[in-house]
Amino acid sequence: MYTIEMAYARMRELQDLANRSRAHRPTAERRAEDRASRAAHAEKR
């Protein structure tokens, strides 16, 4: 049986992986992505 706890643990693993891969990227590339991300969020509102 697949429980909420298992799903939550998997979600945390994926989040940790995403954070780790983001931390290794160059700062300029990350800034460009943040700007694009903010622009996308602004369009939704």
Side-chain angles (χ1 to χ4, degrees):
M1 185 169 60
Y2 196 70
T3 64
I4 292 291
E5 289 81 10
M6 292 163 70
Y8 185 73
R10 180 64 178 145
M11 186 185 72
R12 292 292 309 190
E13 283 175 23
L14 294 172
Q15 191 68 52
D16 289 345
L17 280 173
N19 288 341
R20 224 174 296 145
S21 67
R22 186 179 299 146
H24 289 296
R25 290 185 2 225
T27 308
E29 186 182 325
R30 205 175 322 149
R31 280 199 201 117
E33 181 185 274
D34 289 345
R35 275 197 297 276
S37 166
R38 273 198 295 274
H41 287 294
E43 290 172 14
K44 288 182 190 173
R45 290 184 195 142

